[in-house]
Amino acid sequence: LLEKMADVSLKEAALIVGVVAACYWNSLFCGFVFDDVSAILDNKDLHPSTPLKNLFQNDFWGTPMSEERSHKSYRPLTVLTFRLNYLFSELNAVSYHFLNLVFHVVVCIVFLKVCKLFLDNRSSIVASLLFAVHPIHTEAVTGVVGRAELLSSIFFLAAFLSYTKSKGPDNTIVWTPIAVTVFLVAVATLCKEQGITVVGICCVYEVFIAQGYTLPALLDTAVQILRGKGSIPFSMLQTLLKLIVLMFSTLLLVVVRVQVIQSQLPVFTRFDNPAAVSPSPARQLTFNYLLPVNAWLLLNPSELCCDWTMGTIPLVESLLDVRNVATLTFFCFLGSLMVFSLRYPGDSSKTVLMALCLIVLPFIPASNLFFPVGFVVAERVLYVPSMGFCILVAHGWKKLSNKSVLRKISWVCLAAVLFTHALKTLHRNWDWESEYTLFMSALKVNKNNAKLWNNVGHALENEKNFERALQFFIQATQVQPDDIGAHMNVGRTYKNLNKTKEAEESYMIAKSLMPQIIPGKKYAARVAPNHLNVYINLANLIRANESRLEEADQLYRQAISMRPDFKQAYISRGELLLKMNKPLKAKEAYLRALELDRTNADLWYNLAIVYIELKDPTEALKNFNRALELNPTHKLALFNSALLMQESGDARLRPEAKQRLLHYVKEEPQDSNGYFNLGMLAMDDKKDTEAEAWMKKAIRLQPNFRSALFNLALLYSQTGKELMALPVLEDLLRYYPDHTKGLILKGDILMNQKKDIVGAKMCFEKILELDPSNVQGKHNLCVVYFEERDLIKAEKCLVETLALAPHEEYIQRHLNIVRSKIASLGAVEQSSLPSDGNAATETKKSSFQNLKEAKTEKTTTQSTADNKKEHSKNKKPTEKSSVDKETPKKSTKEIKDIEKKRVAALKRLEEIERILNGE
C-alpha cells in the first residue's frame, strides 16, 4: 500500500517539469560566476588530459587534499559530472546550467515520491511545487557549483526511499534495501558531505514511523527493562540490529572521510567566519542566532545574497542583545514541534517529525555548532532542509484547507505564495548572469560585507575598468579596515594604473596587518596562503628599481620563513636571483620549489632558464623536455627549447627544433617570433624559398619586426636578389633609422647594383653620425671617396680608419695603395683616374662578416605574483620578451661562410691593387 501511494503519475511529473522550466529557463543564459570560476574555469581536473585518479585525490576545487590551502571538500562524483560537461561542450556554460536544471527536476520528482509517504496526494503536490519554485534554491540550481547539493539530494532521497522498503511481512528485516541504502549513502556523501546525514533520518524513521514508537513508550520500556520487570521485545531487537548496521556503516564512512582529509580541518580566516574565532559567549550566541536567520530566509526569501561572510551579520556579543529574542523564539517553536511529534501518536505527529528531521539533520554539518565552516550563512546548504520546511507548510495548509471557513483563503494564499515565489526565482536568476550583476545585487541587500565590494571590483578589473574597480576596492578597505586582501587589491589596481608610489603604500598597509614575527620565537600562526602574496606582490613591485633588489629578496625570504612550503615565493625569488646574476642561488630556489611540486611544468621551465644562464645547454634542454613531458603545449618551453637546439649548431637537432616551432605557432598563431625563427632555421638549411615565406609571414603579423626585416633583406642579398632587398631595407630604416647593419647593406647595394654613389655615401655618413668609431662604415665611406676620384680625401679617411682598427691589414694595404697612386699620378692625373666598382665589392664582402642578426630570444621565468580574487585558485600567467641583439657565438655554418667571404674579399683586393697600381 505504501509503495502504491508513493507512485508518481506522468501528469504529476509533467506538471513539475513545466513549473521548473518556467522558473529556471533564464538560468541557461547565465555564465560562470563566483565559486564557478574556481570549480570550473580554473579546475584542471575537468580536462581530459588530467588522470581520473586526480579526482579522488583532490578537493572540489582541484587542490590536492594533502595541501593546507585545500578546503577539504571532497566531492569527486560531482567533479566527474563537470568533467563530462567539459568533454561534450568544454567551457560552454549553457550545458552546465542545463544539467543543473535537469537534476533539480529529478530532485523535485523524487521529493514528491517521499512526500507521498507522509502526506495525502494533494498536499504532496503542494509541497513538491513549493520546493520547485522556492527562491532560496537559485544559488543551488543557477550557480553551477550548487550541483553538489542537487546530486547529493538525489541519492539522499533515493537512500531514504530504499530504506523504507527494509521492513518485510510480520516485521521481518529485508537486507537488500538496507545494503542499497548504505551504497546510496556512500554515493551521496561523495557528491557532498551532508549526504551522510540521511542515516539519521533513516534511524528516526525506523523507530518512530516503521515501528510506531513514541518517546513516552520508549522511556517506559527502558524503565521496565532497567527494573528487571521485562525483557526487550523481539521487534525492538530487530530494530536495534538494523540501527547497529546503519550506524556501523556510517562510522566506516566517517573514518574513510577523516582519512581523506588526513585528519586536518581546513584553514579559514576570521573574515570567512568571524564568529568562529570569537571568544565566548559571542561565539555561541552568534551561532545560535544564525539558526533563526536561516529559518527566516525560508519563510521570507525576499532579500537573498550570494555571500554572507565578514560583517554581513554583526556578532551577538551580549545576552542583552535584542536579537537573542529571535533565537529564543526559534528554539521555543522548534521545541514545541519536537514535543508534539515525539510525544503523541498519529499521522500528523509522524509527518511533523519527518519534516523536522529533514530540516535539522542535513543542516547540522553547516550549522557551526559542532565544528567551524568557511561561511556564516549559505543559501545553497538550505536546499535539503527546505524539503522539511515545504512538508511542514503543506501539512499546515492541509489542516487549514480542511476547515470550510478557511478553505478559500488557504487556496488564495497558496496560489499567491507559489506565484510570488516563482516570480522571485525567475528574477533572481538574472542576478547570476555575470559576476558584476551578482555582486551588485548582493550589495543592495548588504553593504557591510567587504568581500562583496572586493568582488565587484574584481568584476570591473576583469573588464579593464581599473578606475571604477579602484573605487570599490577602496570602499572595501573602509568597510573592513583590517582586510588584508582589500588593501592588496588596492595596491594591485594602483600598479595597473602605473601609480607605483600609491601601490607600494597600499601593499605596506596590507603587510602591516600580517602577524608579526618575533625574533627568536618560532612562528606558529596560520595564515591564509592568499594573504602571504602581499610579500610577493610588494617584492615584485619594488624590484623594478635596480637599487632595491636586496630589499625585494628580503621580502621573498620573509614569506618563505612564514610558510616554508610557499611554492610561489621560491618561484618569484628564483626569478629575482636570476636578475641579480646569482644563477646558483636561483637554482637552489627552483630545486626547493620542485621538492614541493614536481608536476609543475613551469618550474622545470624556469630551471632550464637557470641552466642557460649557467652556460649548461645540455641540462637546460633536459629540463625543457621535462616541462614538455608534463605539459606538451607549454608555449615558452616549446619556443626556447627550439632556439636552444637551433643555436647549438647541431644539424641533427634541427628537425625537432622545427617541429617544436611548428607546434608553437599552432598554439600562438599571432606571434611573429615563431615564424621568424622558422625562417632562420630554413636559412640554416639553405631552404631559401621556405625561409622567405616564413620571414614574410612574420612581417605581415608585425610590420616593424626589426630582425625579420633585416634578415629577409640579407637573404635577398645573398641569393642575388639585391634589388628586392632595397624596399625591405627602406621599411626597416623607416622604423629604425639608426639600424647600422641595414645602412651598411643598403649602401652596398646602392653602390654595386644601382651605381648610386650619392645614396651610398649618405648611408655611410649616417652610420658615422650614429657611431663615429664604426670601422665598416668608415672604410666604406673611404671607398666612396675613391669612387668619387678624391684620392686625397680617401687617404685622409683611410688614415682615420686605420687609427680605429690598427690591426686590420687590408686597411693598411689600401692606404699604401692610395698613397702610392697619389705619388705616381700627381694632382693632375688624379682627376682622370677610372672609376672601379671592385673596391666597393670588397666592402660588401667584409661588411657581410657580422651581418646575420640574432634569433629572437624568449627566456623568461614564470611568475604568478598578483593574485586577483580572494576565492580564486590562481591561474599561472607566463611572460614573454623578445630581445633583438647580436648572437655572441656563431654556428659552424656561419664561420665557414665568413671564411669564404674573406677569400673572395682577398681576390677582390688583388684586383683593386692591380687597378690602383695601374697594371
Side-chain angles (χ1 to χ4, degrees):
L1 178 64
L2 202 63
E3 289 183 31
K4 189 175 180 182
M5 286 179 62
D7 286 339
V8 176
S9 70
L10 191 60
K11 287 182 180 179
E12 292 167 343
L15 175 64
I16 290 173
V17 170
V19 169
V20 171
C23 289
Y24 286 99
W25 64 268
N26 57 339
S27 69
L28 301 178
F29 300 96
C30 298
F32 295 116
V33 296
F34 203 17
D35 289 339
D36 297 347
V37 175
S38 302
I40 308 296
L41 300 182
D42 298 342
N43 193 345
K44 291 181 180 178
D45 287 348
L46 271 64
H47 301 171
S49 58
T50 303
L52 270 174
K53 66 177 183 179
N54 284 25
L55 271 65
F56 296 90
Q57 295 172 347
N58 299 341
D59 68 11
F60 189 50
W61 318 97
T63 306
M65 294 292 287
S66 57
E67 293 191 13
E68 187 181 347
R69 64 191 177 97
S70 168
H71 282 206
K72 312 301 181 186
S73 44
Y74 188 65
R75 304 163 193 171
L77 296 186
T78 305
V79 179
L80 184 61
T81 66
F82 291 151
R83 187 170 172 130
L84 291 173
N85 270 121
Y86 188 92
L87 186 65
F88 287 106
S89 64
E90 293 195 350
L91 295 176
N92 181 359
V94 175
S95 74
Y96 293 80
H97 287 293
F98 179 73
L99 199 54
N100 270 26
L101 194 152
V102 170
F103 286 144
H104 184 51
V105 168
V106 173
V107 174
C108 292
I109 292 173
V110 180
F111 176 57
L112 175 58
K113 195 174 177 71
V114 171
C115 288
K116 289 189 176 188
L117 297 176
F118 312 109
L119 295 168
D120 62 35
N121 198 58
R122 188 173 61 183
S123 301
S124 298
I125 293 172
V126 168
S128 184
L129 288 176
L130 181 58
F131 179 80
V133 303
H134 203 297
I136 201 75
H137 299 155
T138 50
E139 183 170 343
V141 181
T142 309
V144 177
V145 295
R147 187 178 298 177
E149 263 74 26
L150 305 176
L151 281 172
S152 181
S153 298
I154 292 172
F155 295 107
F156 179 102
L157 295 175
F160 176 69
L161 284 172
S162 176
Y163 187 79
T164 61
K165 300 174 184 177
S166 64
K167 181 180 176 181
D170 300 323
N171 208 22
T172 56
I173 301 175
V174 184
W175 289 107
T176 302
I178 295 176
V180 172
T181 297
V182 171
F183 171 75
L184 291 172
V185 169
V187 173
T189 307
L190 290 174
C191 293
K192 192 175 181 183
E193 297 79 0
Q194 70 181 25
I196 201 169
T197 59
V198 72
V199 172
I201 294 173
C202 291
C203 291
V204 173
Y205 173 84
E206 176 65 31
V207 175
F208 296 100
I209 310 299
Q211 301 302 327
Y213 292 115
T214 61
L215 191 59
L218 282 175
L219 291 175
D220 185 57
T221 303
V223 169
Q224 293 295 328
I225 293 170
L226 289 173
R227 288 179 177 177
K229 294 182 178 180
S231 60
I232 301 175
F234 180 72
S235 60
M236 189 173 284
L237 286 173
Q238 286 187 310
T239 300
L240 283 173
L241 180 60
K242 290 169 76 172
L243 295 183
I244 288 168
V245 170
L246 277 178
M247 298 308 294
F248 179 79
S249 303
T250 305
L251 184 62
L252 192 62
L253 281 174
V254 170
V255 169
V256 171
R257 185 68 176 80
V258 170
Q259 288 297 316
V260 166
I261 67 171
Q262 300 184 2
S263 303
Q264 292 179 342
L265 285 174
V267 179
F268 297 117
T269 68
R270 59 191 174 87
F271 303 113
D272 295 322
N273 191 348
V277 294
S278 299
S280 297
R283 181 168 68 252
Q284 291 79 10
L285 290 174
T286 303
F287 283 156
N288 281 289
Y289 171 68
L290 293 179
L291 301 177
V293 169
N294 281 281
W296 181 248
L297 285 174
L298 289 173
L299 277 170
N300 179 30
S302 58
E303 292 188 338
L304 299 177
C305 181
C306 63
D307 194 310
W308 294 79
T309 55
M310 291 192 157
T312 304
I313 299 176
L315 296 174
V316 182
E317 297 180 295
S318 167
L319 289 169
L320 299 177
D321 193 310
V322 70
R323 289 175 293 175
N324 289 320
V325 175
T327 306
L328 190 61
T329 303
F330 171 78
F331 278 109
C332 287
F333 180 71
L334 186 67
S336 63
L337 286 177
M338 290 182 69
V339 169
F340 168 77
S341 61
L342 292 172
R343 185 170 183 177
Y344 302 106
D347 291 341
S348 183
S349 296
K350 293 176 181 179
T351 301
V352 172
L353 179 61
M354 293 312 299
L356 289 176
C357 286
L358 280 168
I359 292 172
V360 174
L361 295 178
F363 186 72
I364 286 175
S367 66
N368 283 289
L369 296 177
F370 296 98
F371 49 83
V373 293
F375 53 84
V376 179
V377 173
E379 290 163 14
R380 63 174 174 263
V381 303
L382 292 173
Y383 190 76
V384 176
S386 70
M387 294 177 185
F389 169 78
C390 292
I391 290 175
L392 272 183
V393 171
H395 184 57
W397 174 83
K398 174 190 170 185
K399 295 287 187 184
L400 292 174
S401 64
N402 284 340
K403 296 181 180 180
S404 57
V405 181
L406 301 173
R407 182 175 293 119
K408 287 184 179 180
I409 295 175
S410 66
W411 276 102
V412 170
C413 290
L414 175 65
V417 167
L418 290 176
F419 182 71
T420 54
H421 277 46
L423 279 182
K424 173 65 178 178
T425 298
L426 191 65
H427 182 263
R428 174 66 173 158
N429 288 334
W430 289 121
D431 292 341
W432 291 81
E433 185 177 12
S434 68
E435 296 216 313
Y436 179 77
T437 57
L438 179 64
F439 297 126
M440 285 301 290
S441 72
L443 281 176
K444 292 175 185 175
V445 175
N446 171 31
K447 291 181 169 58
N448 296 321
N449 186 339
K451 193 173 177 182
L452 293 175
W453 293 99
N454 279 320
N455 284 333
V456 175
H458 287 311
L460 292 167
E461 189 178 29
N462 290 336
E463 297 171 1
K464 308 298 181 187
N465 193 345
F466 297 121
E467 292 287 354
R468 278 199 69 203
L470 182 61
Q471 296 172 13
F472 282 90
F473 289 142
I474 290 174
Q475 183 63 35
T477 63
Q478 292 171 356
V479 170
Q480 188 88 35
D482 59 349
D483 181 7
I484 297 170
H487 291 287
M488 289 168 64
N489 291 335
V490 172
R492 186 183 62 256
T493 310
Y494 273 130
K495 183 183 176 184
N496 289 331
L497 292 169
N498 295 317
K499 296 181 179 180
T500 53
K501 181 182 177 184
E502 292 88 345
E504 184 173 348
E505 288 172 358
S506 297
Y507 284 141
M508 289 301 291
I509 293 172
K511 180 172 174 284
S512 69
L513 294 170
M514 294 289 287
Q516 300 303 306
I517 300 175
I518 301 172
K521 290 191 176 181
K522 186 178 179 181
Y523 183 80
R526 300 177 86 186
V527 183
N530 280 349
H531 287 172
L532 278 175
N533 279 305
V534 66
Y535 296 99
I536 308 300
N537 295 353
L538 181 58
N540 289 349
L541 182 72
I542 66 176
R543 78 183 196 187
N545 184 340
E546 295 289 336
S547 65
R548 301 181 71 183
L549 296 182
E550 287 292 344
E551 187 181 346
D553 188 35
Q554 176 62 33
L555 286 166
Y556 291 136
R557 282 185 279 137
Q558 188 172 351
I560 291 168
S561 70
M562 295 179 83
R563 279 187 68 111
D565 63 343
F566 190 21
K567 179 177 63 180
Q568 185 54 51
Y570 293 106
I571 294 172
S572 298
R573 185 170 184 243
E575 187 179 333
L576 175 69
L577 291 168
L578 275 178
K579 188 175 182 180
M580 296 170 71
N581 293 319
K582 297 179 179 178
L584 287 174
K585 286 190 175 181
K587 177 183 170 183
E588 289 176 12
Y590 287 133
L591 288 174
R592 179 71 183 93
L594 279 169
E595 288 176 15
L596 299 171
D597 184 5
R598 297 191 67 81
T599 62
N600 189 322
D602 294 336
L603 284 174
W604 290 107
Y605 169 82
N606 289 354
L607 191 57
I609 300 303
V610 171
Y611 279 115
I612 288 176
E613 294 295 320
L614 291 170
K615 304 292 187 292
D616 191 345
T618 304
E619 279 300 313
L621 190 56
K622 285 181 183 178
N623 285 283
F624 279 138
N625 291 340
R626 283 176 186 162
L628 290 170
E629 285 171 11
L630 292 166
N631 180 7
T633 60
H634 195 290
K635 297 170 188 176
L636 290 178
L638 285 168
F639 188 91
N640 284 296
S641 62
L643 285 192
L644 200 61
M645 293 174 177
Q646 186 177 356
E647 291 169 357
S648 69
D650 189 344
R652 294 171 299 178
L653 294 177
R654 284 182 199 156
E656 178 61 23
K658 182 178 179 180
Q659 288 303 312
R660 292 190 182 187
L661 285 173
L662 287 171
H663 194 167
Y664 175 78
V665 297
K666 184 180 178 182
E667 295 291 326
E668 287 285 341
Q670 297 303 311
D671 187 358
S672 54
N673 293 304
Y675 301 106
F676 166 71
N677 282 283
L678 280 166
M680 297 299 284
L681 265 179
M683 286 179 72
D684 289 342
D685 287 333
K686 301 189 184 304
K687 297 177 180 177
D688 299 331
T689 306
E690 185 182 332
E692 180 185 353
W694 288 123
M695 292 294 183
K696 283 182 175 179
K697 191 156 188 177
I699 293 166
R700 275 199 300 273
L701 288 170
Q702 186 183 339
N704 65 340
F705 195 155
R706 175 185 170 117
S707 296
L709 286 166
F710 177 78
N711 282 288
L712 179 59
L714 184 62
L715 177 67
Y716 284 143
S717 177
Q718 290 176 335
T719 54
K721 300 176 183 177
E722 287 88 348
L723 296 181
M724 291 178 68
L726 273 180
V728 181
L729 288 168
E730 292 291 345
D731 289 340
L732 172 68
L733 295 170
R734 185 172 71 252
Y735 291 116
Y736 308 100
D738 58 347
H739 196 289
T740 304
K741 292 180 179 180
L743 288 165
I744 288 175
L745 186 56
K746 181 182 176 184
D748 175 71
I749 293 172
L750 289 174
M751 181 183 294
N752 288 282
Q753 303 300 319
K754 302 280 285 183
K755 306 301 180 186
D756 183 358
I757 304 300
V758 176
K761 184 177 182 181
M762 289 173 64
C763 289
F764 300 138
E765 286 176 342
K766 174 70 173 176
I767 293 169
L768 294 178
E769 284 178 22
L770 298 168
D771 181 13
S773 62
N774 189 291
V775 176
Q776 286 181 327
K778 188 83 172 173
H779 178 264
N780 289 4
L781 186 61
C782 300
V783 175
V784 169
Y785 292 147
F786 174 78
E787 289 289 320
E788 291 178 338
R789 303 177 184 178
D790 191 343
L791 294 182
I792 298 299
K793 207 167 185 179
E795 179 194 23
K796 181 183 177 184
C797 177
L798 285 167
V799 169
E800 293 171 355
T801 308
L802 188 62
L804 293 172
H807 302 296
E808 290 289 350
E809 184 186 348
Y810 73 94
I811 299 175
Q812 182 65 60
R813 281 205 309 274
H814 287 185
L815 179 60
N816 292 339
I817 291 169
V818 170
R819 282 175 173 170
S820 174
K821 194 69 175 175
I822 291 171
S824 63
L825 294 179
V828 178
E829 289 178 281
Q830 176 185 342
S831 62
S832 63
L833 270 171
S835 172
D836 194 328
N838 287 334
T841 304
E842 182 187 352
T843 303
K844 171 182 176 180
K845 296 299 180 182
S846 61
S847 69
F848 274 166
Q849 289 179 13
N850 286 305
L851 278 183
K852 192 171 182 181
E853 288 212 352
K855 296 146 182 82
T856 307
E857 292 185 2
K858 287 188 179 181
T859 54
T860 311
T861 52
Q862 304 290 102
S863 178
T864 62
D866 280 18
N867 294 329
K868 292 176 71 175
K869 287 194 180 182
E870 295 175 8
H871 62 266
S872 71
K873 304 293 172 195
N874 231 357
K875 258 174 152 175
K876 299 183 179 63
T878 58
E879 301 172 7
K880 297 181 183 178
S881 65
S882 290
V883 184
D884 182 19
K885 62 180 183 180
E886 298 300 315
T887 307
K889 293 184 180 180
K890 297 196 167 10
S891 66
T892 307
K893 169 190 175 294
E894 288 178 300
I895 294 170
K896 289 180 180 178
D897 286 348
I898 291 169
E899 289 304 316
K900 290 178 182 178
K901 290 166 188 172
R902 286 187 181 278
V903 171
L906 289 172
K907 289 181 180 178
R908 297 294 185 191
L909 181 60
E910 290 174 1
E911 293 177 13
I912 293 171
E913 288 171 350
R914 282 199 298 272
I915 293 168
L916 292 176
N917 288 326
E919 293 179 0

